[in-house]
Amino acid sequence: MLDEIGGAVDWQALDAAHHLHPFTDHKSLHEGKVRVITGAEGVFLRDGDGHRILDGMAGLWCVAVGYGRRELVDAASRQMTVLPYYNTFFKTTNEPAVALATRLAGLAPAGLEHVFFACSGSEAVDTALRMARVYWQTVGRPEKKIVIGREYGYHGSTTLGASAGGMVDMHRQAGDMPNFVQVLPPYWYGYGSQMSEAEFGVYAARQLEDKIKALGADNIAAFIGEPLQGAGGVIIPPETYWPEVNRICRENDILLIADEVICGFGRTGRMFGSETFGIEPDMITTAKALTSGYIPLSALLVGDRVAKVLINETGEFYHGFTYSGHPVACAVALANLDIIEREGLVDRAASMGRVLRERLRAALGEHPIVGEIRGVGLIGAIELVADKRTRRFFQNRGRTGMICRDYCFENELIMRAVRDTMVFSPPLTISHEEIDLLVARAARAIDQTYARVKHLVAA
Ligand SMILES: Cc1ncc(COP(=O)(O)O)c(C=O)c1O
């Protein structure tokens, strides 16, 4: 692109001058060069320097159907022509919002038949937490206010979401509202090596029970948890974990919120992570794959228990957004769900996920710094460790992951580093050949990382 006097636009300089990025250390960003993403097709991104990068993260866990889907563009264009916007506040609605709410009610686990729309995962979480508190107020138990989450949990970046999550740095900067606490995550590889996986699942769940006893069930509104903890490092709970959490929430009369912003719509090989892990939630938050990231939209699915009270007893729920039920976003979501269903992407996530893990294990299972390769559906993680035998992490936690992430980029692969855990969640459309390419590039990046950190690795 040319500027007004015919010179090439220096996007990188303008970005450094004017653009504040999310979750970014700007000083260190400006010391290097920002990468300008200029286009995308299928599972590949293009950047301004001519690289063709395999997007092993589907953007930020969201581009389920892959890039360049004309159908979604056409759905947006059609809806923009007919009705580009109107709100859903003034006793008004629009057809795509109703059609999508109806469709989601049909897809959701039994009993979750009501839908509240927002624009982002964070807003869906914020809505769930406010709805939980309003529910308890309405039924005459206003003292039930505390929300329990988990360490390394991520529930978005509004102040409520950050407070519910377990990211210490976020708490330190802003997200430290009262009445939020966190308990141990079901991170067997990291915390559970003295127990079997099944034992550790029950142990981690009982940490929740202990916390409830300590705080008093009468003071607790809800437990919120991701079916698997994505941003925390793709922490996949042992099979014994969620059934125990179901029991604990039920026995203590605490609402259970499944944050499916990453898991929803096929990522784990079932339509919802709640189905994969046997969760019995009162509410489910969704976003990301709902529109495959083509346009912002989130949906909170609300179960009968809360919905009936909210509808029949609460009166006005003082909450909502200008773009709740945005007709264009809802039209895109409907077209996106058509693709997911027509192409069988949910089953495909299950089968291709198995292929990806097999190939990663064949290529990297014996690698000196690879401690574990785990996954479910098309989401997974590779733990990089200093001592594979004893599961000892590197001392300067996060440095090795960052080195590996940079080598991935050099090898035209996007994988994200969470501490020293490399995480991946490619588009659900990824092919066998693309999986081979992903594995080859990941293996090269991990070899290069090993060469840099070899002196820190147990012999
Ligand atoms: C589980 C979970 N909840 C909430 C969010 C926040 O979503 P958003 O960034 O759309 O606000 C995320 C984002 O990654 C997430 O992974």
Side-chain angles (χ1 to χ4, degrees), residues 61 120-122 125 154-156 226 259 261-262 288:
W61 331 83
S120 65
S122 302
V125 166
Y154 186 73
H155 301 296
E226 304 151 75
D259 184 353
V261 166
I262 288 179
K288 297 197 188 269

Side-chain angles (χ1 to χ4, degrees), residues 60-61 119-125 154-158 226-228 230-231 259-263 285 287-288 297-298 416:
L60 273 175
W61 331 83
C119 305
S120 65
S122 302
E123 288 175 359
V125 166
Y154 186 73
H155 301 296
S157 200
T158 60
E226 304 151 75
L228 60 83
D259 184 353
E260 298 228 20
V261 166
I262 288 179
C263 292
T285 52
K288 297 197 188 269
L297 181 67
S298 61
R416 180 166 164 188

Side-chain angles (χ1 to χ4, degrees), residues 3-33:
D3 65 16
E4 281 164 17
I5 50 173
V9 176
D10 187 343
W11 296 110
Q12 288 159 325
L14 291 175
D15 190 81
H18 303 296
H19 186 187
L20 294 173
H21 291 241
F23 284 95
T24 293
D25 172 345
H26 286 88
K27 200 150 173 242
S28 98
L29 175 69
H30 296 166
E31 277 159 17
K33 270 190 1 181

Side-chain angles (χ1 to χ4, degrees), residues 403 407-408 410-411 443-453:
I403 292 171
Y407 279 128
C408 285
E410 263 183 35
N411 287 292
R444 203 174 317 136
I446 289 174
D447 280 343
Q448 288 166 317
T449 305
Y450 178 46
R452 283 269 299 277
V453 300

Side-chain angles (χ1 to χ4, degrees), residues 229-414:
Q229 289 176 244
V234 185
I235 297 170
I236 301 173
E239 276 179 18
T240 49
Y241 178 76
W242 277 111
E244 191 64 3
V245 170
N246 289 335
R247 175 192 68 76
I248 293 165
C249 290
R250 206 173 36 240
E251 284 181 13
N252 289 282
D253 206 12
I254 286 167
L255 296 175
L256 175 48
I257 302 167
D259 184 353
E260 298 228 20
V261 166
I262 288 179
C263 292
F265 310 108
R267 178 59 58 191
T268 64
R270 301 286 296 270
M271 188 56 85
F272 292 95
S274 292
E275 293 161 319
T276 303
F277 294 101
I279 309 173
E280 294 162 4
D282 295 290
M283 291 187 245
I284 293 180
T285 52
T286 69
K288 297 197 188 269
L290 174 57
T291 56
S292 286
Y294 278 61
I295 194 164
L297 181 67
S298 61
L300 173 68
L301 314 180
V302 185
D304 291 340
R305 176 179 182 179
V306 173
K308 278 194 182 132
V309 168
L310 188 85
I311 292 166
N312 297 323
E313 298 173 40
T314 295
E316 182 162 349
F317 179 40
Y318 294 101
H319 175 74
F321 304 99
T322 300
Y323 303 121
S324 286
H326 194 291
V328 179
C330 292
V332 171
L334 287 163
N336 176 64
L337 291 173
D338 286 345
I339 295 177
I340 290 177
E341 288 186 355
R342 192 178 62 235
E343 298 185 2
L345 294 184
V346 179
D347 289 342
R348 189 187 165 81
S351 60
M352 295 304 266
R354 278 193 291 274
V355 172
L356 176 54
R357 281 190 296 287
E358 269 163 28
R359 295 193 183 170
L360 279 172
R361 285 183 183 137
L364 287 164
E366 301 305 316
H367 197 285
I369 59 169
V370 172
E372 185 185 52
I373 295 165
R374 60 173 175 264
V376 56
L378 267 172
I379 183 166
I382 305 171
E383 292 275 5
L384 303 182
V385 290
D387 189 340
K388 195 178 168 80
R389 207 173 40 80
T390 62
R391 298 187 181 182
R392 181 167 56 79
F393 292 114
F394 288 98
Q395 222 166 30
N396 187 355
R397 214 72 193 273
R399 184 173 161 272
T400 306
M402 211 35 79
I403 292 171
C404 187
R405 191 192 77 170
D406 289 347
Y407 279 128
C408 285
F409 259 124
E410 263 183 35
N411 287 292
E412 302 191 322
L413 169 68
I414 293 186

